[in-house]
Amino acid sequence: MENFRIRPKGDFIENGDWQELYVLTEHWKSDLLFYKDDLKFLRHLEDKYFLWIKAQADLDNIRRAGESILKDSRDCDELLERVGKHLSHIAAIIDDPEKQNYKGFRVEHNELEEEVAKFIKNTRRNRRELFKVIEMDVEVDKM
């Protein structure tokens, strides 16, 4: 799997300016909202396609792909909630920097970034898998 990065290289998390970290986190939120809509489309596609499948093996494949898409949807909702809390945390740091735990925040930021990157990789893989299942079945039906 490719090495997926969602932030600038180097020591950005350790030394990045708070406003830049806020903007980066807003970008994560925007990406997650896009994936939420994408997953809704994929679930709809899977539901519609399910009606046309004839072979049991294809039913099993589309069911597995659909379960992965459903899990991705739940993961997306959880990450959106965590990113929202994280944005609030950054805002609190910007508003009152004297009362904040910077080290703890930066650890939290790094962990959240890794989970968002992992989610995006999984979602892309599951989308490809769903399309592969549909494509194979369509090709078989053409024969």
Side-chain angles (χ1 to χ4, degrees), residues 82-94:
R82 290 180 59 203
V83 165
K85 289 177 183 176
H86 194 67
L87 282 167
S88 295
H89 192 180
I90 298 172
I93 289 173
I94 292 169

Side-chain angles (χ1 to χ4, degrees), residues 23-79:
V23 169
L24 176 62
T25 306
E26 279 283 344
H27 181 70
W28 298 348
K29 182 179 178 181
S30 176
D31 285 350
L32 289 168
L33 289 170
F34 168 81
Y35 279 101
K36 183 177 176 116
D37 287 341
D38 188 51
L39 289 162
K40 186 186 300 185
F41 167 76
L42 292 173
R43 285 193 323 266
H44 178 73
L45 178 65
E46 182 247 342
D47 286 344
K48 292 291 184 189
Y49 185 72
F50 198 80
L51 299 173
W52 297 99
I53 297 176
K54 298 172 186 115
Q56 183 62 42
D58 294 332
L59 282 171
D60 294 341
N61 289 336
I62 198 75
R63 186 174 293 119
R64 273 193 302 278
E67 288 169 356
S68 296
I69 300 282
L70 187 58
K71 181 186 180 315
D72 289 342
S73 295
R74 288 189 301 263
D75 291 348
C76 187
D77 289 339
E78 177 189 328
L79 280 170

